[in-house]
């Protein structure tokens, strides 16, 4: 059972466009993390959101944690080809030891 | 500092065989966790070790096992390989595991034929 549902599964856009990907769950998490994974590499942590309603910005990326700490979104402004990759959200349970990953959103940004 | 190192990077095994994958965590990190990544199921948690003790285990059959050594290096073993075990196996390390940033290795690509 996948606790976290990510949408869309695939996204292909042109350079300069904006996009939003979503991560939804019926479970409450103590925190939620976003990762980006490029082909042939392991996932790399982008951000951790902890507080319900929290918004964090990382250059052109904006992350939001839902008030109920069950969902999150990632918004990318003016996407660039370097943003291409698999974006994964992961919920951190109460134990803090295991991450529950969504299946990811595969993003392709073409010049 | 050196990142998480996994060996081997690629390997091909035959059904019924067993395989051992190795992970060297970042220096000073005592928590090592393992994940299986497949196109169909995504990233799934296998188990986590801290100070040579398994603290948490995912929903995988007993064919999947692991251990951690006193220097924090970890190995995972899969016995009686099945075709469905073909996947990218990722190791991640962190200082203590709980609430710390985890860092992933590049993974070991296992193909079972």
């Amino acid at each position: 059972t996948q606790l976290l549902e990510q949408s869309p599964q695939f996204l292909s856009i042109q350079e300069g466009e904006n996009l939003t990907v979503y991560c939804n769950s019926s479970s409450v998490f103590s925190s939620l993390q976003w990762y980006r994974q490029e082909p042939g590499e392991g996932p790399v942590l982008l951000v951790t959101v902890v507080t319900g309603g929290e918004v964090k910005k990382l250059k052109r990326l904006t992350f939001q944690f839902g008030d109920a700490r069950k969902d999150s979104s990632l918004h990318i402004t003016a996407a660039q080809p370097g943003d291409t990759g698999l974006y994964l959200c992961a919920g951190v349970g109460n134990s803090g030891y295991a991450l529950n990953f969504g299946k990811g959103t595969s993003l392709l940004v073409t010049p | 500092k050196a990142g998480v190192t996994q060996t081997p990077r690629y390997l091909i095994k035959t059904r019924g065989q067993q395989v051992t994958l190795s992970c060297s965590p970042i220096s000073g990190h005592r928590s090592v966790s393992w994940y299986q990544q497949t196109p169909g199921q995504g990233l799934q948690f296998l188990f986590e070790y801290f100070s040579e003790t398994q603290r948490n285990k995912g929903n995988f059959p007993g064919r999947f096992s692991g251990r951690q050594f006193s220097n924090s290096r970890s190995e995972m073993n899969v016995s009686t390989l099945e075709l469905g075990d073909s996947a990218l196996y990722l190791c991640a390390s962190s200082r203590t595991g709980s609430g710390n940033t985890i860092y992933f290795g590049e993974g070991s690509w296992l193909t079972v034929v």
Side-chain angles (χ1 to χ4, degrees):
Chain A
T1 302
Q2 207 76 31
L3 295 179
L4 286 162
E5 299 290 336
Q6 288 190 244
S7 61
Q9 189 176 356
F10 300 99
L11 192 54
S12 180
I13 61 172
Q14 290 195 312
E15 183 176 4
E17 292 184 20
N18 301 332
L19 67 117
T20 302
V21 298
Y22 299 92
C23 175
N24 297 295
S25 174
S26 57
S27 302
V28 175
F29 292 101
S30 60
S31 64
L32 198 140
Q33 300 178 335
W34 284 92
Y35 292 79
R36 182 171 69 208
Q37 184 178 20
E38 298 185 24
E41 299 182 8
V44 175
L45 179 66
L46 295 173
V47 77
T48 300
V49 285
V50 179
T51 307
E54 182 177 5
V55 177
K56 280 193 174 178
K57 290 193 174 185
L58 187 66
K59 296 183 180 178
R60 294 175 295 100
L61 278 59
T62 302
F63 304 86
Q64 186 163 7
F65 200 14
D67 291 340
R69 291 189 291 133
K70 293 182 179 181
D71 54 86
S72 181
S73 64
L74 158 59
H75 182 79
I76 301 179
T77 304
Q80 299 177 359
D83 295 328
T84 293
L86 180 66
Y87 288 82
L88 296 155
C89 67
V92 182
N94 291 332
S95 71
Y97 304 143
L99 295 176
N100 299 288
F101 279 90
K103 291 188 179 181
T105 293
S106 183
L107 172 64
L108 174 63
V109 183
T110 54
Chain B
K1 55 184 175 182
V4 178
T5 305
Q6 292 187 244
T7 57
R9 284 297 315 276
Y10 306 93
L11 67 166
I12 301 174
K13 290 286 188 177
T14 305
R15 271 183 303 175
Q17 287 186 314
Q18 66 92 26
V19 66
T20 299
L21 308 178
S22 180
C23 173
S24 293
I26 292 172
S27 178
H29 286 192
R30 296 167 62 189
S31 169
V32 174
S33 51
W34 289 88
Y35 291 82
Q36 181 196 65
Q37 186 173 29
T38 60
Q41 296 300 317
L43 266 156
Q44 293 189 295
F45 173 75
L46 281 158
F47 26 66
E48 187 258 355
Y49 288 87
F50 180 82
S51 292
E52 303 178 66
T53 300
Q54 186 183 89
R55 289 196 298 194
N56 207 356
K57 189 177 188 300
N59 295 323
F60 278 82
R63 300 185 297 108
F64 292 80
S65 62
R67 58 178 177 170
Q68 187 180 33
F69 302 96
S70 58
N71 62 358
S72 294
R73 191 177 68 85
S74 177
E75 290 181 345
M76 68 161 284
N77 183 277
V78 188
S79 62
T80 319
L81 284 165
E82 301 177 0
L83 295 179
D85 297 333
S86 295
L88 176 64
Y89 289 89
L90 290 160
C91 168
S93 78
S94 69
R95 290 199 179 278
T96 64
S98 179
N100 299 139
T101 299
I102 72 168
Y103 298 86
F104 283 88
E106 293 182 325
S108 292
W109 286 96
L110 170 65
T111 300
V112 182
V113 297

